[in-house]
Amino acid sequence: YIIDSIIIHIILAAEFWKQIPPNEPYRVILGELRDRLYQTRERSRQLLSHGISEIPEEATFTNVEQFLEPLELCYRSLCSCGDRPIADGSLLDFLRQVSTFGLSLVRLDIRQESDRHTDVIDAITKHLEIGSYREWSEEQRQQWLLSELSGKRPLFGPDLPKTEEIADVLDTFHVIAELPADGFGAYIISMATAASDVLAVELLQRECHVKQPLRVVPLFEKLADLEAAPAALSRLFSIEWYRDHINGKQEVMIGYSDSGKDAGRFSAAWQLYKAQEELIKVAKQYGVKLTMFHGRGGTVGRGGGPTHLAILSQPPDTIHGSLRVTVQGEVIEQSFGEEHLCFRTLQRFAAATLEHGMHPPVSPKPEWRALMDEMAVVATEEYRSIVFKEPRFVEYFRLATPELEYGRMNIGSRPSKRKPSGGIESLRAIPWIFAWTQTRFHLPVWLGFGAAFKHVIQKDIRNLHMLQEMYNEWPFFRVTIDLVEMVFAKGDPGIAALNDKLLVSKELWPFGEKLRANYKETKSLLLQIAGHKDLLEGDPYLKQRLRLRDSYITTLNVCQAYTLKRIRDPNYNVTPRPHLSKEIMESSKPADELVKLNPTSDYAPGLEDTLILTMKGIAAGMQNTG
């Protein structure tokens, strides 16, 4: 059978490469297309493997238009010859596929932090002996960058002193310059703060000889950066060189993850809403079509939630029939893992985008805005007073959750921290949320809500009625409350209490009890505003699903807590019950012979595997919150 398969493959390959008679014009054109496409693939493969290729660039396709041209020629020829039914068959399908996916199937976005670009430009200005770019004011930076962008002189050569980090950034730009432009999408600047961040990337693209510069997308993440984003965009659009460069189109990314970690979910959600409104106003003022790129995570603490509701809760005029969203690793499988899930997910995006345009959501009343602004100040203060100002919070966090163990395991897509040293501010948003999800406490999602609600209700009882009115009439506020209510339904402060008892030092127990009291008060206020007697009163289907999963997740939580205790305290022993571990109790073999999993682990046999299994099981059970 294997030999027959090989022979058939050889015959088909020989037929595929056979010389085409000149009296078959369509096959002649498609034969040339085949050869050039093969050369394109081989050149890309050689460049990726060895950095150089023996195949000249002229023998390949460098953009999708070159690939489409002969296909469109065949299509027009068939139509003019009366063979439109043939043209509208597989050829038209293929034309659509090429137009959709290009030569690379998926375009790759490049993402780098603004500070890394600043380091490169700073090295250049110091090498040129004109000062330290890092120490210049924003106005000085912009003036110098614009003067260089308007000129043509090269800024640096191979003699530029480079650290490993600087070389890494420049190497990325050189790779972009070498590979076909069709393979890339946007260049995203994370932690963007000002117009100079965008101009710096434009200059580095030019200096590294990127023939078709990638569109540059600033990503505004922290609360202060979101507040300053409209002014930064306005400054960019006021620059004539930049307006001509972007040709009337701009993309801006807003970050849900780091804004939530910086100020709490309540304040971040409100500031993201206001930032979008202001950014759209700025774009309209300068006649630029602005596309919002939503950097949502899969979890509620990172901006996640049901697709349809998330889109419909966006401010009016911010979508206009198009938007970009990230699809995070933890939700790719549940949204795109199977063909029918793919179609359902795309249908939800399309339907919500159309509905938002045809029936825009209501704008908040002035009194609602004033109340939200007041609550946001209180929520931010409450959140930061605990997460950043409480002297022993970091110690409590690392003891009460599996954050340290998670950081040591190779189960994440990126390092858990942006910098090896540092506290919560250097921790990435994913492990920050993940750690609290594992304990079923979800602190980053709800912390700040209770203090904000309590403040305005105690100030004036009429504010309670206004909050209930906002919940019933304003999609943004309703979705925000409903998602937090859903997280409370998945939470269990009893698990957090167990972790405290097993893993946290006694002097920190009162701090944990205080947080759990805050949790209980916030849940009560949330139900009062939603007009519910019990959690998920309005979604009995989800409530039943969570009830069914609860016993399994709780078992994993308990198992994880005791596993963490054994990892952190090797002298701690759990005495197994005979009826649960009969085989082990009767066996004369030592445990390390019975459990030979993950031999490279630093922990006792089986402990790391148990921890990974409980982590994945709890995350799966939490679904949209982990």
Side-chain angles (χ1 to χ4, degrees), residues 393-413:
F393 176 79
V394 174
E395 181 187 356
Y396 175 81
F397 166 61
R398 287 176 174 159
L399 289 172
T401 73
E403 186 264 326
L404 288 174
E405 288 77 10
Y406 169 77
R408 285 199 292 264
M409 295 177 186
N410 189 26
I411 60 173
S413 61

mmCIF file of all heavy atoms in Angstrom, residues 393-413:
data_model
loop_
_atom_site.group_PDB
_atom_site.id
_atom_site.type_symbol
_atom_site.label_atom_id
_atom_site.label_comp_id
_atom_site.label_asym_id
_atom_site.label_seq_id
_atom_site.Cartn_x
_atom_site.Cartn_y
_atom_site.Cartn_z
ATOM 1 N N PHE A 393 0.716 43.827 50.550
ATOM 2 C CA PHE A 393 -0.188 43.209 49.576
ATOM 3 C C PHE A 393 0.541 42.222 48.665
ATOM 4 O O PHE A 393 0.045 41.128 48.398
ATOM 5 C CB PHE A 393 -0.883 44.270 48.712
ATOM 6 C CG PHE A 393 -1.751 43.663 47.632
ATOM 7 C CD1 PHE A 393 -3.012 43.180 47.933
ATOM 8 C CD2 PHE A 393 -1.293 43.540 46.320
ATOM 9 C CE1 PHE A 393 -3.800 42.590 46.945
ATOM 10 C CE2 PHE A 393 -2.066 42.954 45.340
ATOM 11 C CZ PHE A 393 -3.333 42.479 45.657
ATOM 12 N N VAL A 394 1.708 42.615 48.144
ATOM 13 C CA VAL A 394 2.458 41.750 47.228
ATOM 14 C C VAL A 394 2.807 40.433 47.917
ATOM 15 O O VAL A 394 2.666 39.355 47.330
ATOM 16 C CB VAL A 394 3.734 42.446 46.710
ATOM 17 C CG1 VAL A 394 4.584 41.488 45.885
ATOM 18 C CG2 VAL A 394 3.368 43.668 45.877
ATOM 19 N N GLU A 395 3.201 40.527 49.185
ATOM 20 C CA GLU A 395 3.523 39.316 49.948
ATOM 21 C C GLU A 395 2.280 38.431 50.068
ATOM 22 O O GLU A 395 2.349 37.213 49.855
ATOM 23 C CB GLU A 395 4.035 39.707 51.342
ATOM 24 C CG GLU A 395 4.412 38.513 52.209
ATOM 25 C CD GLU A 395 4.745 38.929 53.632
ATOM 26 O OE1 GLU A 395 4.758 40.148 53.924
ATOM 27 O OE2 GLU A 395 5.006 38.023 54.454
ATOM 28 N N TYR A 396 1.152 39.049 50.405
ATOM 29 C CA TYR A 396 -0.097 38.282 50.538
ATOM 30 C C TYR A 396 -0.486 37.634 49.204
ATOM 31 O O TYR A 396 -0.832 36.453 49.155
ATOM 32 C CB TYR A 396 -1.227 39.206 51.017
ATOM 33 C CG TYR A 396 -2.572 38.521 51.062
ATOM 34 C CD1 TYR A 396 -2.928 37.702 52.134
ATOM 35 C CD2 TYR A 396 -3.475 38.672 50.012
ATOM 36 C CE1 TYR A 396 -4.153 37.054 52.158
ATOM 37 C CE2 TYR A 396 -4.706 38.033 50.026
ATOM 38 C CZ TYR A 396 -5.040 37.224 51.100
ATOM 39 O OH TYR A 396 -6.249 36.573 51.116
ATOM 40 N N PHE A 397 -0.410 38.411 48.140
ATOM 41 C CA PHE A 397 -0.778 37.918 46.803
ATOM 42 C C PHE A 397 0.042 36.686 46.416
ATOM 43 O O PHE A 397 -0.489 35.689 45.932
ATOM 44 C CB PHE A 397 -0.570 39.051 45.786
ATOM 45 C CG PHE A 397 -0.574 38.632 44.350
ATOM 46 C CD1 PHE A 397 -1.689 38.041 43.775
ATOM 47 C CD2 PHE A 397 0.551 38.831 43.552
ATOM 48 C CE1 PHE A 397 -1.694 37.666 42.429
ATOM 49 C CE2 PHE A 397 0.559 38.454 42.223
ATOM 50 C CZ PHE A 397 -0.566 37.865 41.662
ATOM 51 N N ARG A 398 1.352 36.748 46.665
ATOM 52 C CA ARG A 398 2.228 35.646 46.253
ATOM 53 C C ARG A 398 2.073 34.424 47.137
ATOM 54 O O ARG A 398 2.338 33.301 46.692
ATOM 55 C CB ARG A 398 3.673 36.131 46.228
ATOM 56 C CG ARG A 398 3.913 37.046 45.038
ATOM 57 C CD ARG A 398 5.280 37.651 44.972
ATOM 58 N NE ARG A 398 5.434 38.388 43.721
ATOM 59 C CZ ARG A 398 6.325 39.341 43.520
ATOM 60 N NH1 ARG A 398 7.164 39.668 44.485
ATOM 61 N NH2 ARG A 398 6.397 39.971 42.366
ATOM 62 N N LEU A 399 1.645 34.631 48.374
ATOM 63 C CA LEU A 399 1.402 33.486 49.253
ATOM 64 C C LEU A 399 0.032 32.855 48.984
ATOM 65 O O LEU A 399 -0.109 31.634 48.983
ATOM 66 C CB LEU A 399 1.485 33.926 50.730
ATOM 67 C CG LEU A 399 2.877 34.276 51.267
ATOM 68 C CD1 LEU A 399 2.755 34.866 52.663
ATOM 69 C CD2 LEU A 399 3.785 33.059 51.273
ATOM 70 N N ALA A 400 -0.984 33.696 48.768
ATOM 71 C CA ALA A 400 -2.369 33.212 48.663
ATOM 72 C C ALA A 400 -2.722 32.636 47.302
ATOM 73 O O ALA A 400 -3.753 31.977 47.156
ATOM 74 C CB ALA A 400 -3.332 34.352 48.994
ATOM 75 N N THR A 401 -1.900 32.883 46.293
ATOM 76 C CA THR A 401 -2.191 32.402 44.930
ATOM 77 C C THR A 401 -0.990 31.618 44.395
ATOM 78 O O THR A 401 0.106 31.703 44.945
ATOM 79 C CB THR A 401 -2.465 33.584 43.975
ATOM 80 O OG1 THR A 401 -1.217 34.259 43.704
ATOM 81 C CG2 THR A 401 -3.460 34.571 44.561
ATOM 82 N N PRO A 402 -1.170 30.883 43.292
ATOM 83 C CA PRO A 402 -0.043 30.146 42.697
ATOM 84 C C PRO A 402 0.785 30.977 41.720
ATOM 85 O O PRO A 402 1.384 30.437 40.796
ATOM 86 C CB PRO A 402 -0.747 28.977 41.986
ATOM 87 C CG PRO A 402 -2.069 29.513 41.594
ATOM 88 C CD PRO A 402 -2.451 30.515 42.650
ATOM 89 N N GLU A 403 0.851 32.308 41.932
ATOM 90 C CA GLU A 403 1.531 33.183 40.971
ATOM 91 C C GLU A 403 3.006 32.820 40.791
ATOM 92 O O GLU A 403 3.513 32.765 39.669
ATOM 93 C CB GLU A 403 1.400 34.637 41.423
ATOM 94 C CG GLU A 403 1.948 35.641 40.418
ATOM 95 C CD GLU A 403 3.382 36.073 40.720
ATOM 96 O OE1 GLU A 403 3.740 36.156 41.907
ATOM 97 O OE2 GLU A 403 4.149 36.316 39.772
ATOM 98 N N LEU A 404 3.719 32.574 41.884
ATOM 99 C CA LEU A 404 5.149 32.275 41.774
ATOM 100 C C LEU A 404 5.383 30.949 41.049
ATOM 101 O O LEU A 404 6.268 30.847 40.198
ATOM 102 C CB LEU A 404 5.784 32.222 43.170
ATOM 103 C CG LEU A 404 5.948 33.570 43.876
ATOM 104 C CD1 LEU A 404 6.450 33.364 45.300
ATOM 105 C CD2 LEU A 404 6.908 34.467 43.105
ATOM 106 N N GLU A 405 4.569 29.944 41.367
ATOM 107 C CA GLU A 405 4.721 28.636 40.718
ATOM 108 C C GLU A 405 4.373 28.726 39.231
ATOM 109 O O GLU A 405 5.041 28.127 38.391
ATOM 110 C CB GLU A 405 3.828 27.593 41.408
ATOM 111 C CG GLU A 405 4.302 27.166 42.781
ATOM 112 C CD GLU A 405 4.005 28.196 43.875
ATOM 113 O OE1 GLU A 405 3.258 29.166 43.609
ATOM 114 O OE2 GLU A 405 4.513 28.028 45.000
ATOM 115 N N TYR A 406 3.341 29.506 38.928
ATOM 116 C CA TYR A 406 2.932 29.688 37.527
ATOM 117 C C TYR A 406 4.053 30.328 36.725
ATOM 118 O O TYR A 406 4.342 29.937 35.596
ATOM 119 C CB TYR A 406 1.676 30.564 37.478
ATOM 120 C CG TYR A 406 1.298 31.039 36.088
ATOM 121 C CD1 TYR A 406 0.669 30.190 35.189
ATOM 122 C CD2 TYR A 406 1.580 32.341 35.681
ATOM 123 C CE1 TYR A 406 0.325 30.616 33.920
ATOM 124 C CE2 TYR A 406 1.241 32.781 34.405
ATOM 125 C CZ TYR A 406 0.612 31.915 33.539
ATOM 126 O OH TYR A 406 0.284 32.349 32.281
ATOM 127 N N GLY A 407 4.728 31.317 37.325
ATOM 128 C CA GLY A 407 5.815 32.018 36.640
ATOM 129 C C GLY A 407 6.994 31.120 36.324
ATOM 130 O O GLY A 407 7.729 31.365 35.364
ATOM 131 N N ARG A 408 7.187 30.068 37.148
ATOM 132 C CA ARG A 408 8.323 29.164 36.929
ATOM 133 C C ARG A 408 8.017 28.078 35.898
ATOM 134 O O ARG A 408 8.917 27.397 35.422
ATOM 135 C CB ARG A 408 8.725 28.493 38.248
ATOM 136 C CG ARG A 408 9.466 29.434 39.185
ATOM 137 C CD ARG A 408 10.241 28.649 40.234
ATOM 138 N NE ARG A 408 9.365 27.963 41.169
ATOM 139 C CZ ARG A 408 9.011 28.465 42.361
ATOM 140 N NH1 ARG A 408 9.455 29.650 42.722
ATOM 141 N NH2 ARG A 408 8.237 27.795 43.165
ATOM 142 N N MET A 409 6.745 27.897 35.572
ATOM 143 C CA MET A 409 6.354 26.823 34.659
ATOM 144 C C MET A 409 6.276 27.319 33.225
ATOM 145 O O MET A 409 5.891 28.441 32.969
ATOM 146 C CB MET A 409 4.995 26.242 35.074
ATOM 147 C CG MET A 409 5.022 25.553 36.411
ATOM 148 S SD MET A 409 3.391 24.985 36.873
ATOM 149 C CE MET A 409 3.717 24.403 38.518
ATOM 150 N N ASN A 410 6.604 26.438 32.314
ATOM 151 C CA ASN A 410 6.608 26.812 30.893
ATOM 152 C C ASN A 410 5.242 26.534 30.277
ATOM 153 O O ASN A 410 5.098 25.722 29.369
ATOM 154 C CB ASN A 410 7.706 26.019 30.169
ATOM 155 C CG ASN A 410 7.905 26.520 28.754
ATOM 156 O OD1 ASN A 410 7.631 27.671 28.460
ATOM 157 N ND2 ASN A 410 8.353 25.653 27.876
ATOM 158 N N ILE A 411 4.196 27.212 30.792
ATOM 159 C CA ILE A 411 2.855 26.971 30.262
ATOM 160 C C ILE A 411 2.209 28.254 29.735
ATOM 161 O O ILE A 411 1.056 28.261 29.367
ATOM 162 C CB ILE A 411 1.923 26.304 31.300
ATOM 163 C CG1 ILE A 411 1.765 27.195 32.542
ATOM 164 C CG2 ILE A 411 2.423 24.931 31.685
ATOM 165 C CD1 ILE A 411 0.734 26.672 33.536
ATOM 166 N N GLY A 412 2.970 29.349 29.722
ATOM 167 C CA GLY A 412 2.439 30.613 29.208
ATOM 168 C C GLY A 412 3.050 30.958 27.865
ATOM 169 O O GLY A 412 4.097 30.432 27.492
ATOM 170 N N SER A 413 2.388 31.848 27.116
ATOM 171 C CA SER A 413 2.901 32.246 25.803
ATOM 172 C C SER A 413 4.031 33.250 25.916
ATOM 173 O O SER A 413 4.803 33.431 24.984
ATOM 174 C CB SER A 413 1.763 32.846 24.958
ATOM 175 O OG SER A 413 1.235 33.989 25.600
#
